[in-house]
Amino acid sequence: MNDKAPFLTAIPVMQQLTSHGYEAYFVGGAVRDYLMARPINDIDMTTSATPDEIEALFDHTIPIGKEHGTINVVWQGDNYEITTFRTEGAYIDHRRPSEVYFVRDLYQDVERRDFTINAIAMDAQFNILDHFNGQQDIATKIIRTVGDPRERFDEDALRILRGLRFKSQLGFTIDATTYDAMVEKTADISHLAIERIMVELEKLLAGNYVSETFSTLQDLHIWDYLPYFKEMPMERIHITEPVTLPQFLAIVMRQSEHHINTKQLKRSNDEIRHAQRLLQALEQAPTLTSKTELRQFVYDFGDSICRELLDMQALLETNAISQPSKLIFNAETVSEIWQTLAITHLQQLAINGKVLMQTFDKKAGPWIKDALRRAECAVVQQQVTNTEQEIIEWVKGNVEIP
Ligand code: ATP
Ligand code: MG
């Protein structure tokens, strides 16, 4: 059933606007998802009140994007984003305009929105205002631009990727005229800021219908126009089930012969590191031939990377990326090993470099790292218990100190 609950707390905020003579509506993804009985992500509201007028009506506001018409209203401890009805100025270089114009008419606001399914407004009584037949397109599962698709993609080429993103999330078909315009305008995505592209790509890759959408990306030669990816052998990549961005990047890097700088993607260091860690794990995993080796692997990469790798098995197979035997590498064995590890990090080892230096009365040097790693492995392999004394005895008997 369509769930009204996510909207209910926002209704008093809208009533504050409407009781002062302004119009106010829910709009965009929240209305689309409500009508489709899908989980609602974020709630966007739009109003005829200007930012100054919104600020005058509420005690606590934050001007998060005031010049673009967006004000954050804090109401009973919750945040609500309200944007003034607006149209947009001239587009330069296929990017979003810097100028916006505030208007008093809902029609003009929904007219500048990307797709008919995203241009439906709903008032505080749950009445629908649907100027572009978005409900019909929801019913027949069609992604169609508001107005002439060539013009709309000319204005902002990101809409091409957004359309594909909605296809992947919703399983809709792209209307033929809209699709033809995508074919015609694909190259314009090379003008977009990579940050905006990556936001859409991440959502697209996580969509339930990513398999068919990924083929469409290949058909459109999308990758030829994107930094980083244009240097990668993308024709060899097949995404047949939802993936996270780090998982996707790990597969892409695995299929490439040379290293291309991921900095171009402008993602966080944490995320890139995660992708590189997954890559290392999936390169190393096929070399595992014994439980001893697996034990070391589980310790080195941690259970979360291991579980991710197990989740990716089918996808790796689809991409002809070699896999360890299921007899060795499987969820049960990994979790059993993880639970019986004496330590999960080097920091938990009962000795450290300082202890070694004192015990052997030697200066710091590469020998420390070497001895620590040997001791760490011995503890992981249960050859020695994790106490300072036992480890020192073990080191004396097993490691040559220079
Ligand atoms: P999600 O569920 O992921 O939030 P959404 O449809 O709400 O999906 P948003 O990126 O949050 O997508 O944008 C909110 C609304 O703003 C869209 O539904 C659409 O009406 C409008 N919009 C967003 N980006 C564009 C764009 N590039 N061109 C035209 N309209 C846009
Ligand atoms: Mg949204």
Side-chain angles (χ1 to χ4, degrees), residues 48-61:
S48 59
T50 64
D52 287 329
E53 290 166 342
I54 300 170
E55 284 174 338
L57 281 182
F58 296 92
D59 294 336
H60 191 177
T61 57

Side-chain angles (χ1 to χ4, degrees), residues 231-279:
E231 300 175 76
M232 289 299 198
M234 297 306 288
E235 68 287 347
R236 286 170 52 190
I237 314 276
H238 309 279
I239 300 298
T240 45
E241 56 187 273
V243 282
T244 65
L245 193 65
Q247 292 168 352
F248 176 65
L249 291 177
I251 293 175
V252 172
M253 291 191 271
R254 174 65 178 70
Q255 299 298 58
S256 171
E257 247 104 73
H258 16 250
H259 175 80
I260 305 294
N261 196 345
T262 44
K263 280 224 183 341
Q264 300 176 72
L265 298 174
K266 301 209 182 144
R267 299 295 287 199
S268 74
N269 290 337
D270 276 356
E271 195 173 36
I272 297 296
R273 256 196 300 272
H274 182 181
Q276 280 159 349
R277 204 73 189 127
L278 267 176
L279 171 65

Side-chain angles (χ1 to χ4, degrees), residues 28-30 32-33 41-42 44 96 112-114 118-119 152 156 158-159 162 165-166 169 196 200 203:
R32 175 196 70 224
D33 292 337
N41 188 7
D42 48 4
D44 296 311
R96 263 198 308 208
R112 56 110 188 152
R113 292 178 183 270
D114 47 10
N118 292 341
R152 304 313 310 283
D156 181 3
L158 189 73
R159 291 169 187 155
R162 284 178 58 85
R165 185 259 275 196
F166 292 118
Q169 289 180 322
R196 295 179 77 206
E200 299 303 330
K203 291 183 180 183

Side-chain angles (χ1 to χ4, degrees), residues 305-345:
I305 289 276
C306 287
R307 272 185 283 131
E308 241 185 305
L309 211 56
L310 286 163
D311 286 344
M312 291 168 71
Q313 293 300 296
L315 195 57
L316 294 175
E317 206 167 302
T318 308
N319 285 275
I321 296 172
S322 51
Q323 293 307 291
S325 156
K326 285 191 180 70
L327 294 174
I328 293 177
F329 189 57
N330 59 66
E332 293 71 33
T333 316
V334 165
S335 109
E336 183 225 296
I337 289 175
W338 182 249
Q339 280 160 28
T340 56
L341 282 177
I343 58 171
T344 55
H345 290 101

